[in-house]
Amino acid sequence: MKKTIYLLSSLAVMAFASSCSKNDDPGTTIPVNPPAATNVDVRGSITKDTKWTAGVTYRLRGYVYVDNNATLTIEPGTKIVSNKDSAGVLIVYKGAKINAAGTADKPIVFTSAETAPKPGDFGGVIVVGNAIGNGNHEAIEGGVDAAHKAFGGTNDADNSGVLQYVRIEYGGKAVNPGDEVNGLSMYTVGSGTTVDHIQIVRGLDDAFEFFGGSFNAKYLIAYNCADDDFDLDDGYHGKIQFGVSIKDPAFNDDKGTSGDISNNFEVDNTTTAKGYLLTPITNPIMSNFTAIGPNNATGTVSTYGYNMRWRRGSKFTLANSIVMGGQRAGLDIDNDPTAKNYVDGLSGFKNSILQSYGDNYKVDALSATPAILTAAGLKTLVEGRDASKVYATAAEVGLTDPFNNTAPNLLPKTGSAAATATAAFTATALTDAFFTKTTYVGAVDPAGTDWTKAAWVSYGK
């Protein structure tokens, strides 16, 4: 069994030495109130209940596993760092829990320890539960050891703990092509888990990736991450409300000829090799998002993709949202089963606002003849049955300053289309008590306090 190893920094050791006083016998040293460490290195495994306290900076050295049904408690205001030489990754494995309950004024921050931080300095956070997935991925990605690769279970009510008011900066770790650690990866995490007020900043790969599971989440921000911001697959079937996705036009994850491009949303069920139809079908239910693509700003890299890419047999509901600035297209449907789900009303972009630099609608990778769905047919469904509205320019939508990447302002202007649109929660999927029944669309209340400007949120990185 691995053991957790805590190493005092050299500064703490020096401080301890200086705290010792000598009595009248010059050959005897008596320690007097040795100081607490202010910097602690963490390696290996945590196999018993452990608390990390504010005022101490914890540096992850490589992969750190919370295991053996242990609970890791992290106090509000605690800082956890990593250097680029090891890109530390925190893995909370099956049966274990994380209790990371920060506060609005004292968020828990995972970040780089480098003086000039860059994406990839910090590996990321992985939580693994016992909820249901569909087996699309057979092992946890990102170089975890053999004893911690398996995931998935049968308990959709499983509880992996609490993540609240947490910021993860400069994450991402590419082990091999397509084998990466994201900012926050959730593998078959159950609905007993509390997840809200999380920001992922300047990540090297995806911001949020959810592999199966049933947990619900509110108040999620993906800011300036290189690949997909909300990557949902492997049968994820939870609910999410109040989400933000903001792209840096000059920064993305160029995977060359693989066809994998950067999107605000990328939602799959299973891979082509597995036929798209493994159950449970990926089916996120989402409301009140504001998603901002690059909108062909100066310096936009060529491998940006779509605002929304729904593919590989997935279902979805995205409602009461504002989606802007998609590069290749705003709403893209790939593969016959995904298209059929939309035609049959099992999916929908509902009661929302769309504005794109590229085409508003795109349908491709279909094989049936005649095609199950066309771009024109998708337009008819979105703007008719699903009651969404499309605008030609960002100015017509009327957010205050959505493409100011350093200091984005997502507040709808008074009297604008964004401010006057009315939310609807009449669809069966949206009547659940989880959803706050707003009167407005998008992530930010035009008449309320802008939660995306709160103290726990960080921009300009």
Side-chain angles (χ1 to χ4, degrees):
M1 180 180 295
K2 295 180 180 178
K3 294 183 179 179
T4 308
I5 301 174
Y6 298 94
L7 298 177
L8 296 182
S9 71
S10 58
L11 289 177
V13 172
M14 292 171 63
F16 175 80
S18 67
S19 71
C20 298
S21 64
K22 293 186 178 181
N23 64 7
D24 293 337
D25 180 355
T28 304
T29 301
I30 301 172
V32 177
N33 297 325
T38 55
N39 296 278
V40 172
D41 280 359
V42 186
R43 309 171 189 267
S45 292
I46 297 171
T47 57
K48 62 182 181 180
D49 291 352
T50 299
K51 178 181 280 189
W52 291 352
T53 57
V56 177
T57 297
Y58 297 87
R59 185 172 66 152
L60 304 186
R61 302 300 290 160
Y63 294 80
V64 174
Y65 300 90
V66 185
D67 214 345
N68 196 40
N69 298 318
T71 296
L72 172 63
T73 299
I74 306 177
E75 288 187 342
T78 303
K79 189 174 182 180
I80 302 98
V81 304
S82 175
N83 288 96
K84 63 183 178 182
D85 66 340
S86 65
V89 181
L90 180 66
I91 302 103
V92 182
Y93 197 60
K94 288 183 175 187
K97 289 184 173 70
I98 184 168
N99 181 19
T103 63
D105 58 343
K106 293 181 179 180
I108 294 164
V109 179
F110 296 83
T111 191
S112 170
E114 301 292 333
T115 54
K118 294 180 180 178
D121 289 348
F122 186 93
V125 177
I126 298 173
V127 182
V128 187
N130 286 296
I132 299 170
N134 63 22
N136 177 46
H137 284 83
E138 296 174 357
I140 292 173
E141 296 183 338
V144 301
D145 67 24
H148 297 90
K149 283 186 176 294
F151 70 100
T154 60
N155 181 13
D156 259 1
D158 190 39
N159 182 358
S160 293
V162 176
L163 288 166
Q164 290 180 305
Y165 292 102
V166 171
R167 193 166 71 242
I168 303 171
E169 302 175 338
Y170 305 109
K173 185 169 185 172
V175 177
N176 290 298
D179 186 12
E180 299 141 331
V181 177
N182 308 293
L184 177 62
S185 303
M186 305 286 271
Y187 285 85
T188 54
V189 173
S191 62
T193 309
T194 300
V195 182
D196 61 75
H197 296 90
I198 314 291
Q199 185 186 24
I200 314 297
V201 177
R202 192 61 73 173
L204 193 61
D205 196 59
D206 298 331
F208 299 95
E209 185 159 9
F210 303 157
F211 299 82
S214 54
F215 74 94
N216 306 317
K218 285 187 176 181
Y219 301 105
L220 305 183
I221 300 176
Y223 173 62
N224 285 354
C225 293
D227 200 10
D228 307 311
D229 283 349
F230 291 88
D231 190 338
L232 315 175
D233 45 43
D234 284 46
Y236 172 71
H237 48 287
K239 298 175 281 290
I240 310 172
Q241 188 177 24
F242 305 119
V244 168
S245 168
I246 296 173
K247 289 296 192 185
D248 178 351
F251 176 56
N252 80 344
D253 185 12
D254 186 352
K255 291 186 171 67
T257 59
S258 70
D260 192 358
I261 51 183
S262 300
N263 312 287
N264 297 93
F265 297 88
E266 182 177 274
V267 178
D268 302 335
N269 189 47
T270 57
T271 62
T272 302
K274 295 191 176 181
Y276 306 140
L277 299 178
L278 294 179
T279 58
I281 300 290
T282 302
N283 188 17
I285 310 299
M286 300 176 286
S287 185
N288 295 96
F289 275 69
T290 299
I292 308 299
N295 209 44
N296 207 44
T298 301
T300 299
V301 293
S302 62
T303 45
Y304 260 113
Y306 312 102
N307 282 136
M308 300 172 281
R309 192 178 197 186
W310 318 102
R311 61 180 187 171
R312 296 176 177 171
S314 61
K315 302 175 186 177
F316 71 93
T317 298
L318 178 61
N320 305 315
S321 294
I322 299 171
V323 180
M324 302 173 61
Q327 194 64 16
R328 300 189 185 192
L331 196 165
D332 174 64
I333 299 282
D334 289 359
N335 316 114
D336 292 76
T338 324
K340 190 172 189 310
N341 288 336
Y342 207 99
V343 170
D344 291 348
L346 301 177
S347 294
F349 178 56
K350 297 178 179 293
N351 201 63
S352 295
I353 289 173
L354 177 65
Q355 173 270 326
S356 308
Y357 166 74
D359 295 335
N360 290 316
Y361 306 107
K362 190 172 186 292
V363 178
D364 54 18
L366 303 188
S367 57
T369 304
I372 293 171
L373 184 65
T374 64
L378 181 58
K379 170 183 169 68
T380 298
L381 290 171
V382 170
E383 298 175 29
R385 181 193 72 189
D386 293 337
S388 289
K389 295 182 179 179
V390 174
Y391 295 90
T393 67
E396 291 175 84
V397 176
L399 299 188
T400 300
D401 202 2
F403 301 113
N404 180 346
N405 188 260
T406 301
N409 190 333
L410 307 180
L411 184 70
K413 296 178 181 177
T414 301
S416 67
T420 56
T422 303
F425 292 86
T426 53
T428 301
L430 299 168
T431 59
D432 190 280
F434 165 81
F435 289 105
T436 302
K437 306 306 189 287
T438 68
T439 57
Y440 59 89
V441 304
V444 178
D445 184 351
T449 301
D450 185 352
W451 65 272
T452 72
K453 297 289 189 182
W456 67 276
V457 177
S458 180
Y459 293 128
K461 296 180 179 179

